[in-house]
Amino acid sequence: MKTIFAKSVPGRKGVWPEEPEGQITDFIPENLLRENLPALPEQSELDVVRHFTLLSRRNFGVDSNFYPLGSCTMKYNPKFMEDIANLSGFTDLHPLVPQLRGAGHYTQGALEVLYETEKLLCEITGMDAFTLQPLAGAHGELTGVMLMAAYHNYKGNKKTKIIVPDSAHGTNPASAAIAGYEVVSIESRDGIIDPQALKDALDDEVAGLMMTCPNTLGLFERHLREIVELVHSVDGLLYYDGANLNAILGKMRVGDVGFDVVHLNLHKTFGTPHGGGGPGSGPVGVNKKLEPFLPISRVVKLEDGQFFLDYDYPFSIGYIAPFYGNFGVILKAYAYILRLGREGLIRVSENAVLAANYLRKKLEDYLHIPYNRTCAHAMHEFVASAVKQAQKGVRALDIAKALLDKGHHAPTIYFPLIVKECLMIEPTETESKETLDQFVDDLIEILKIAEENPEAIQEAPVNTPVKRLDEVKAAREMILKEQDM
Ligand SMILES: *Cc1c(COP(=O)(O)O)cnc(C)c1O
């Protein structure tokens, strides 16, 4: 089996050398200092304001409208975190400024934020150690699977496969495959993992199981303890995809349940606006078994209270990202966690689950709900299906487009793959009851029109800057360059 390892950079192990006293600019080589200001194009302030205001009006964001995108937790992100991420002590900090003594006073605060954020995430998840390096959830997955591979290699285990349930997000099998494993998919039963299917797939070559809980159908995996025992019985490792942490914050700690490795999506759960590819942060938490293999560098606290980045971990999988991860996103998560506190984080998950179940209940007479469970099992999002409507020619895609005309973002559609014509709805905890009710009214109106006049829905959207796209043409004749409109 092929596994990949990042190479560590020689000469950067251990504590940094003695550092001279001085100003930040003293540390930058003279030939890299700018002599003149750069020649940038000039525009009047008014033209710039008009340009960006126009763009922002065409843009869709959670700051202007409801964004019930399942699986991705598009919640409102309080603005005070932007202020904190904008503090010049953080934004002006160059990643190569020395850490200790000398100019070290510039970096100590940032290092402390990294250190404290790791501790908070350990507390929230019940894991023993965290790395904040990974730059997205998928990157965290790859890091996590590399940690699993390092563990098995260290123990001399011959492991070739990773099990992934069929409800998994596509990045799970992709991460396992990129790390060199064969992916074994198991079929869900009633929307959750079937312990019998897991037993049938388990053997000594299984490196581990990757799972999400609540899963991508918004259902809590009821056989969790049995699953953990089964996988551990073959010295397999349990990977927890933490993209849905919003549903269990303060309610369950995955470390306590027996998971060995977990990634979180700070940009989903802990208050960074996202979409369009970034910025993200996918910290990875591990228990003691996997801690020696964490990527470098790791932030440590010295006895005198100073912080520094240590590169001296002989079993580490090495570098997985430049510098220290997406620092701004980490900083916002830190501020968010401190601002909400334990009580606040518990209310996040309670209100997120309440909002989803409220919508599910209100829509169950209008859309088919394949896994229509009570609140204890249905969590922060739910999957509805437009199978009835599709018989009249109105598909999930058409309903999603019609919602754009009403000013809502579309739910996630056609994912998870195991439900036909599905719409996956995640309202999040930040929406008011009025917004949820408006969404329900608009959706019901769309479904009524779909019955009487399906063509009207098939033509949507008509109110957006760009109308219905020819998706086949777009896929076949891709234009990847900007063109004059
Ligand atoms: C979003 C998501 C991912 C991937 O995270 P990114 O930060 O987008 O890379 C993985 N799994 C699930 C269940 C997700 O919802």
Side-chain angles (χ1 to χ4, degrees), residues 71-72 136-138 141 169 171-172 212 216 241 243 263 265 267-268:
S71 193
C72 267
E141 288 174 34
H169 195 265
T171 49
N172 289 184
T212 313
T216 60
D241 176 331
H263 88 256
N265 303 59
H267 47 289
K268 291 181 184 172

